């Protein structure tokens, strides 16, 4: 079993779009996603194309792909990037059959290393839906420190919800 975590290439970003559009209403709700706020596929593709044309020091986001034995099993993304300082990460195991097996924790650990190196970070935050147990466990096991639970609208695709704020520093 070979696990590979690396920068996502532009050609691979369809995995992100397909993941959200193929997720059930229940899965989207667990992530705090409002399906009516998803960008259309063409708009999302265009946003990714523009993102990948931007130098890494100025990017609004950085995406990482997770592969197991050569096949994609998930991804992570970072946004709210202040290069050389801090960013916020997101994590997704796209294959439902692989959830709950500890792979997310190892993928998160490797993603942390990549984010700190590529973005020259001092702090990395993650704020999953407070009721979504799996990412909260994975973050804790990967070395993140619990900061607080509070209500907010975490991003443009989300509704108002309780989130758990985690942080890791280096």
């Amino acid at each position: 079993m070979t696990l590979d975590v690396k920068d996502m290439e532009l050609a691979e970003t369809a995995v992100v779009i397909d993941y959200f559009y193929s997720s059930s209403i229940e899965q989207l709700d667990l992530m705090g996603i409002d399906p009516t706020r998803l960008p259309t596929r063409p708009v999302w593709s265009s946003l990714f194309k523009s993102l990948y044309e931007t130098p890494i020091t100025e990017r609004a986001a950085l995406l990482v792909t997770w592969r197991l034995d050569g096949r994609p099993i998930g991804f992570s993304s970072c946004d709210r990037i202040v290069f050389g300082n801090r960013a916020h990460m997101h994590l997704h195991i796209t294959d439902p059959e692989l959830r709950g097996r500890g792979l997310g924790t190892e993928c998160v650990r490797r993603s942390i290393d990549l984010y700190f190196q590529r973005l020259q970070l001092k702090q990395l935050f993650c704020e999953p839906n407070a009721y979504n147990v799996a990412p909260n466990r994975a973050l804790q096991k990967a070395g993140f420190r619990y900061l607080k639970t509070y209500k907010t609208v975490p991003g443009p695709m989300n509704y108002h919800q309780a989130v758990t704020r985690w942080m890791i520093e280096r």
Side-chain angles (χ1 to χ4, degrees):
M1 184 167 79
T2 304
L3 185 63
D4 186 33
V5 174
K6 65 176 190 71
D7 284 348
M8 185 180 287
E9 296 176 14
L10 177 59
E12 298 173 295
T13 58
V15 155
V16 175
I17 300 166
D18 291 343
Y19 169 68
F20 285 101
Y21 271 95
S22 66
S23 290
S24 68
I25 294 297
E26 294 80 15
Q27 182 63 27
L28 291 172
D29 187 52
L30 192 58
M31 293 184 285
I33 302 288
D34 177 349
T36 67
R37 295 183 181 180
L38 292 176
T40 64
R41 288 175 184 267
V43 166
W44 217 339
S45 293
S46 178
L47 290 169
F48 281 139
K49 186 177 182 306
S50 177
L51 176 71
Y52 277 76
E53 292 170 349
T54 306
I56 192 148
T57 56
E58 300 169 21
R59 278 195 191 170
L62 180 66
L63 289 95
V64 173
T65 188
W66 300 341
R67 294 182 170 275
L68 183 63
D69 296 331
R71 84 178 166 97
I73 62 160
F75 64 93
S76 176
S77 61
C78 241
D79 60 13
R80 295 190 262 171
I81 300 167
V82 178
F83 191 86
N85 190 359
R86 67 184 179 278
H88 288 251
M89 77 172 286
H90 308 272
L91 55 143
H92 304 277
I93 296 283
T94 55
D95 185 338
E97 293 179 15
L98 295 176
R99 294 181 187 138
R101 296 186 180 183
L103 287 168
T105 300
E106 186 55 32
C107 290
V108 167
R109 283 186 183 119
R110 294 183 189 192
S111 297
I112 292 166
D113 292 338
L114 194 146
Y115 290 137
F116 272 87
Q117 177 190 7
R118 299 276 284 135
L119 301 172
Q120 301 174 18
L121 300 178
K122 295 179 181 95
Q123 297 177 319
L124 183 60
F125 296 89
C126 191
E127 295 184 335
N129 183 296
Y131 302 108
N132 193 348
V133 175
N136 283 287
R137 273 195 199 134
L139 293 164
Q140 184 178 25
K141 289 179 182 177
F144 276 76
R145 181 169 50 98
Y146 170 82
L147 296 179
K148 66 180 179 176
T149 299
Y150 71 106
K151 289 193 171 187
T152 189
V153 178
M157 297 188 309
N158 299 104
Y159 54 79
H160 195 258
Q161 63 191 278
V163 298
T164 306
R165 178 178 280 179
W166 297 89
M167 179 188 67
I168 193 163
E169 294 180 293
R170 293 209 174 143

